[in-house]
Every structure is written in C-alpha cells, then in structure tokens.
Amino acid sequence: MKEIILLKLGEMVLKGLNRSTFEHVLLKNIKRRMARIGKFEIRSAQSTVYIIPQDDMIDMDEAVEAVGKIFGVITFSRACECEKNMDSILKTAAEYLAPQLEMIQTFKVESKRADKSFPLKSPQISAELGGYLLEKFPHLRVDVHHPDLEITVEIRDFAAYVRGGVIPGAGGIPVGTGGRAAILISGGIDSPVAAWSIAKRGVELTAVHFASPPYTSERAEQKVVDLLTRVSEYAGRMMMFTVPFTHIQEEIREKCPEDLFTLIMRRFMMRIAERIAKREDCAALVTGESLGQVASQTIQAIACTDAAASMPVFRPLIGMDKAEIVALARKIDTFDISIQPYEDCCTVFTPKHPRTRPDPAMIEEAEAALDADALIEECMANLKLTKIGWGSRRS
Ligand code: ATP
Ligand code: MG
C-alpha cells in the first residue's frame, strides 16, 4: 500500500493575503521540511498538495508529525493511493482503514470525481464502497449526519485515493510571509512559547540570548539551543546570537541602585537586541513577558523597558496566565527542556526588593553612571553565532 499525505490549499487561504505568495511560501516550506525526513515528490494540482514518499523506508508517522508543525496548514490527511478501478478502491479502503473502522461505530463515504471519464458517478462510488464496508465490518452503521469517521474517495487524473478523517494542522500563516523579528530568548518557559506564537503569524525569527559566564554555564546556553531547535520545527531554521552580558551586569551591580538593577539590565537587553535586529533585517522585537508575572512585568516597568527601544516590541503572552503558557509549552514540546534547572542571567543578580513602579527619570539618572555606548559596543564585538535547525533532525 502506498500512503501519501494530502493537503487542501483551499482551506488555508486567508482573506486579504496574496494567495499566490502564500501558496508559494507554503510549498517552499513544505519542501524544505520534508527534505529532512527523506525523498518525497511534492506536487501541487487542483488546489491540493500531494506529499508522495519516493522511498519505502520513509517513516510516514514522522512525516505526518512534521506536516503537523507547518504553519499555514489548517487540516491535512493521510491517504492511500490505489488503481482507478472499483475493485482496487474497495480492497484498499477495507485494508487501509481497518484499524480506524474497528474502533468506531458509524461512518459515511464521500466521493469526488475529478476524472470525469471514470465509469461510476460519485454517489455510485460512495454507495458501492459503503455497502462493501458494511459487509466486511458488520458492527458498523452508516450515519450521514454525524459519522464517527468520514471516508473520502477521490478519483484524480493520475490515481485514486482513499482517506479517512482529517488531522488538525498547526494553523497560522506560512513562516516567511510576515517579515522577520528578533526574539529575546531565555531558557525559561515563556520565551520559547512567545517565539512559537509569533512564528505562527508568518514571521521568521532571529534569536538573541544573553549569557553571563561564568555565572551562567555552557549547559545553560545549550538548553537555549535545544529549546530553539524544538521551536524551529515550527518556525524554520534561524540564527541565534549569544551576547556576552557579564561585564554589563557587573557594571550595573557596581554602579546602580539595587532596586533598579533588573530594569536597567532589561533596558540594555532591549538596546542590544535592537542593534542585532537592525543588522539582521528584523522589524520588531519579541519577548515572553506576561503582565504582572514578576516585578519587571508591571505596566510601569514595561513602559521603562520599551523606552529603551525604538522598534515595536511584541509580547504575545501579555494576557496569558502561567497555566495557559505551560499548556502551550507542553503542546510544542519545550516544557521538559525549560524546566531543566540551569541558571539564567536574569536570576543571577536578582535584587531583593525590585522596584515595581519605576520612574523613567530615575532610571535615566541611574544609567548615567554607566558608559552605555562602550558597554554595548563591547557586546556587539563579541557576539557568538549558532545556526539552529540547519538540516538537524529530531532524534
Ligand atoms: P522566560 O520564561 O521566557 O524566561 P520569565 O517569565 O522568566 O520568562 P523574565 O526572566 O523576566 O521572565 O524575562 C522576561 C523576558 O525577557 C523573557 O521572556 C525573554 O523574552 C527575555 N529574557 C530574559 N532573560 C533573557 C536572556 N538571558 N536572554 C534573552 N532574553 C531574555
Ligand atoms: Mg526567565
């Protein structure tokens, strides 16, 4: 039996988006993702994309998992190819769908006949297959209104396909149709979810991570690489810039009031991330902040952080509860990595009593004690680059 994956393009087109650009980018993304798994023929015809394995050794479960992470796909299905005659269609359907049919009570058959030279009309195909399945699986009943399983037979120009049920896709918009943004990524739970959320809206990502060796370890940085590798299964490959942040943090600790420490540090993160973002053609910054979660995430603190950057700062998690963020982190499989106990630069010098209602003038005055330009230049001269998701395959 030859199994393929079918995607319906018609269901994916959003109002207002240029359809041909959308489809073009989506096809390019599908080709790139599938190439990591094996050799596939990817064909687009009559508003349907056919993902056809070219090698018997290809693991179709892995292929289905990968398709389920491509933004822009609303639903898709696994289908079995067969010869264009009723005998082959009946036998294939009974054999291919047996595992599903054994689990359910009711079904319905829908047929579509793109090849009008096929001798039976659509209702006849459905009736014949329905009758055959009722005979083979006597526990089944037909329910045309609310079936447990909807079986579809399609007669195409080149072959016939039998499929049972649709699989929910990742939704969203194809990555690459919405520009590029820089995600400030820590090893925590929130920022990988923020990265995923923005990629879902079609945005390509560049990652910026602040590390403070020796206070933060190499293992903490590897954790971020691992997180981004998971995110890249959805967001596509990306560059990660690691910023050496130790000197800035030590300077702040030495020269600024302790209660402003976190905020000043966050303002430096914004300035540096914006420098990298501009250089890398990003039009926005993204963080994993959620209103009121910690002292640096009050409205006043966020206003002070934003004042340090001129680019728009997107915070896709701003209105979410921790439990909602955790549920998403589990869904995208980053949670287990995020909870590994490695320190983040933010937690290294946490003040005992951070100021929750900072005053911008007070912060500017405190920052005057630092040579901000020189500190930022020093970071920019020592960035480390890591490629995420280039040809990597999840083991
Ligand atoms: P997360 O779970 O993403 O670490 P958090 O709730 O722990 O978030 P903070 O530590 O205050 O919150 O960080 C807020 C945001 O600042 C993060 O979501 C992330 O976007 C950014 N951030 C924090 N630490 C770093 C870091 N070391 N490198 C880059 N960005 C960071
Ligand atoms: Mg954090």
Side-chain angles (χ1 to χ4, degrees):
M1 278 199 297
K2 181 164 186 183
E3 198 178 29
I4 69 161
I5 300 171
L6 281 179
L7 262 76
K8 296 284 174 188
L9 283 181
E11 299 162 21
M12 295 179 252
V13 180
L14 280 186
K15 268 188 259 166
L17 267 182
N18 178 318
R19 180 180 171 130
S20 69
T21 310
F22 184 101
E23 287 188 9
H24 175 77
V25 175
L26 181 60
L27 267 177
K28 204 176 74 187
N29 292 349
I30 293 171
K31 284 180 184 160
R32 191 183 285 147
R33 304 291 174 84
M34 300 320 287
R36 291 199 212 165
I37 290 169
K39 199 161 163 11
F40 291 86
E41 184 192 337
I42 295 171
R43 187 195 299 182
S44 167
Q46 297 160 313
S47 285
T48 306
V49 178
Y50 298 79
I51 303 178
I52 308 164
Q54 300 295 295
D55 172 355
D56 289 345
M57 299 302 287
I58 285 176
D59 179 346
M60 286 305 278
D61 290 337
E62 192 186 356
V64 163
E65 196 188 329
V67 172
K69 293 178 178 176
I70 300 175
F71 288 132
V73 178
I74 309 303
T75 59
F76 62 101
S77 44
R78 297 172 87 136
C80 194
E81 188 180 306
C82 58
E83 281 175 39
K84 286 202 296 182
N85 62 66
M86 275 323 285
D87 198 38
S88 166
I89 291 169
L90 299 183
K91 292 211 170 89
T92 303
E95 191 186 343
Y96 178 60
L97 300 173
Q100 287 179 71
L101 293 172
E102 270 147 23
M103 305 291 291
I104 57 155
Q105 304 295 321
T106 61
F107 75 101
K108 155 187 179 181
V109 182
E110 275 284 328
S111 300
K112 292 175 191 158
R113 198 175 57 130
D115 172 8
K116 300 293 179 203
S117 70
F118 192 76
L120 299 187
K121 294 212 165 76
S122 300
Q124 294 171 299
I125 301 170
S126 301
E128 211 171 300
L129 177 57
Y132 183 78
L133 293 177
L134 287 172
E135 228 172 79
K136 285 260 167 194
F137 301 86
H139 72 283
L140 290 178
R141 277 183 299 112
V142 171
D143 180 344
V144 291
H145 300 296
H146 304 288
D148 295 336
L149 181 69
E150 183 168 326
I151 297 166
T152 308
V153 178
E154 289 195 42
I155 314 289
R156 293 283 174 147
D157 291 340
F158 27 88
Y161 298 95
V162 174
R163 59 191 163 95
V166 292
I167 304 168
I173 307 175
V175 172
T177 56
R180 176 177 288 281
I183 170 77
L184 282 80
I185 182 104
S186 70
I189 295 168
D190 305 334
S191 43
V193 176
W196 175 87
S197 304
I198 288 296
K200 188 174 182 202
R201 302 311 300 164
V203 177
E204 284 182 293
L205 297 174
T206 295
V208 179
H209 173 63
F210 294 85
S212 297
Y215 305 102
T216 61
S217 64
E218 239 171 64
R219 195 59 198 82
E221 193 184 336
Q222 182 58 41
K223 179 182 172 186
V224 177
V225 172
D226 294 345
L227 283 169
L228 286 174
T229 303
R230 289 278 161 94
V231 172
S232 77
E233 290 173 21
Y234 293 88
R237 57 196 186 182
M238 64 183 91
M239 294 290 189
M240 165 181 161
F241 291 88
T242 303
V243 182
F245 208 44
T246 319
H247 191 199
I248 290 187
Q249 288 193 294
E250 287 175 343
E251 283 281 298
I252 301 173
R253 184 175 55 179
E254 213 169 288
K255 298 181 177 157
C256 301
E258 191 191 299
D259 62 344
L260 296 179
F261 180 82
T262 306
L263 266 179
I264 293 174
M265 183 189 74
R266 298 199 55 72
R267 282 162 59 90
F268 271 93
M269 283 186 172
M270 289 302 186
R271 293 184 182 110
I272 294 164
E274 187 168 68
R275 282 280 298 269
I276 297 172
K278 281 190 178 142
R279 215 180 68 182
E280 297 298 309
D281 255 346
C282 301
L285 304 178
V286 183
T287 78
E289 289 160 305
S290 145
L291 200 60
Q293 199 187 77
V294 289
S296 62
Q297 296 174 20
T298 63
I299 291 181
Q300 293 86 349
I302 286 176
C304 286
T305 309
D306 270 4
S310 58
M311 272 185 189
V313 182
F314 293 151
R315 296 180 171 87
L317 315 184
I318 197 74
M320 290 172 75
D321 294 342
K322 197 73 187 185
E324 293 170 306
I325 300 170
V326 165
L328 272 177
R330 287 191 195 278
K331 175 177 144 159
I332 65 170
D333 227 0
T334 52
F335 184 75
D336 290 343
I337 303 174
S338 290
I339 58 172
Q340 289 170 7
Y342 298 105
E343 63 301 316
D344 180 54
C345 73
C346 279
T347 50
V348 175
F349 306 119
T350 312
K352 276 192 210 71
H353 303 290
R355 190 171 282 268
T356 53
R357 288 167 193 248
D359 168 1
M362 191 193 289
I363 292 194
E364 276 169 29
E365 196 189 315
E367 281 178 356
L370 306 168
D371 186 350
D373 290 345
L375 287 168
I376 291 170
E377 288 309 329
E378 188 187 322
C379 288
M380 292 301 293
N382 293 290
L383 297 176
K384 179 177 141 195
L385 185 62
T386 310
K387 286 179 166 184
I388 307 284
W390 253 262
S392 74
R393 233 172 109 169
R394 196 164 151 190
S395 51

